[in-house]
Amino acid sequence: MTASRRTFAIISHPDAGKTTLTEKLLLQGGAIHLAGQVKARGQARRARSDWMKIEQQRGISVTSSVMTFERTDADGNTITFNLLDTPGHEDFSEDTYRTLTAVDSAIMVIDAAKGIEPQTRKLFEVCRLRSVPIITFVNKVDREGRACFDLLDEVADVLALDVCPMSWPVGMGGLFQGILDLKSGRVSRPEGGSKEFLGKVDEDVELPGEVAEEIELARAGYPEFDIEAYRGGDLTPVFFGSALKNFGVVELIDAIAKFAPPPRPQPTEAGPVDPGHKEVTGFIFKVQANMDPMHRDRIAFMRLVSGTFKRGMKLTPSGLGKPIAVHSPILFFAQDREIADSAEPGDIIGIPNHGTLRVGDTLSEKNQIRFTGLPNFAPEILRRVALKDPTKTKQLRKALDDLSEEGVIQVFYPEIGSQWIVGVVGQLQLDVLISRLEAEYKVEAMLEASPFDTARWIKGSDKALRDFADFNKMNLAKDRDGDPVFMAKSAWDVGYQQERNPDLTFSATKER
Ligand code: G4P
């Protein structure tokens, strides 16, 4: 069963065509019948919640979801694809990073006219950290774009990856005539939306002179596709196509089915857990507040790592210590949310809960396993939270704890003074914070400049921590879990303290 799962994400810079490609992938999988439904569903969902007004106003998607679809290949093998949507907006990188911990591979979408853009690169770096293999899709070849060699060189140079073109556009923009499969030599044509094979290049297709030359060069100039190098994250196969015109999309799905790795073992401190391990285990990579602001329930997204999950099963979250029964898990089929009866490694399960499940939690039957690798990132923006009505302190504390559990913000409680500090990776998270404080907790708060610029988790022996605290009380805080954090005035400050305190580590990420 596990061999038939492909759990992946699409990474791209905004506007490269991720939404369009997602729609087309789902269409191919028969999961939705009308293109445009991904967005339409999003809008219906947004209307349900107050805080999501921000999404509407800014026309971006803050929430991310999971889409499952199936496809049977020419040999009759059915593959289940789990596509994890990563929010495209640059502000929401932390959320996106975490989602990438739950996939086995990724598709990188590049706009043929633009090449590698900043967000593509950032997301790629996260994939590289975890050796997530990447298939590249150069999109929008129906429009005038940059030369293919140029784009391939850029991927190779900027990302330090071997590239292997799998297909080649025959002309671009107005001259676009179809796509050549470099291996088989067949050209598929976009006419009438369906494709037609013109035969072997060398035999019956007359390619324009330059194109034929280009293709000869392409065939000679790049290494053969090597699946091991791809799966190790060292080589990316590159496909050309047009999401809008639904061109090259089938080839892309086929490539995921054929080359992308099935569910991988996941790391724990005691060594990796294999998908074949009998015990049901998984980890929470995302928590999302329910759409209804009147109810505080949340959906925790768990990636199943091992075992066959059955509805009603009792699992113990590492953060809680006592088992919970998972009675109404949700599987995310694209058309609807369906109640899951069972799930296999690689699948994502939504678990409704009232705040007991947190990002980074491991769930397991025996409560002996802890997955690692789901970091909190040092916030890039810090703000002091001030209340308009000082009698609401308790509500504020509860709200900040809740929202930090969800991963919307991070919260720091300074050792000295009563003003709490929130940290975010992107500005937009602050708007979400204010809006949700008002809508869900009836707390009116203001965000003020913070005396600190960045934060680092500190680790060391009790004595080293105590000695440090004696001199730096003003700069110490506790995070939501009570772990010590050094609040720094600048990055320079961090370096300075690290040098003076070699017994302590100052870390920009924290793993739970
Ligand atoms: P994103 O999720 O990565 O942000 O991108 P999205 O799919 O929303 O696509 C961004 C724009 O690029 C859209 O145009 C979309 O229609 C266009 N696009 C996507 N794929 C292709 C392609 O293969 N060829 C061409 N020519 N265009 C493509 P828009 O005008 O901004 O939005 P819309 O009004 O068309 O939805």
Side-chain angles (χ1 to χ4, degrees), residues 144-152 165 167-172 175 178 180 182 201 207-222 240:
E144 208 56 56
R146 285 166 45 187
C148 299
F149 288 112
D150 216 29
L151 289 162
L152 290 167
S167 63
W168 204 267
V170 181
M172 270 203 205
L175 299 173
L180 174 87
L182 284 176
V201 176
L207 292 173
E210 306 149 34
V211 179
E213 228 169 76
E214 232 182 58
I215 287 165
E216 276 321 304
L217 277 176
R219 280 195 166 138
Y222 294 94
F240 291 84

Side-chain angles (χ1 to χ4, degrees), residues 122-142:
K122 254 186 172 170
L123 292 166
F124 170 78
E125 292 302 336
V126 180
C127 291
R128 165 132 61 200
L129 272 179
R130 311 191 71 245
S131 302
V132 171
I134 307 260
I135 294 178
T136 302
F137 185 71
V138 178
N139 190 28
K140 307 195 187 180
V141 296
D142 57 304

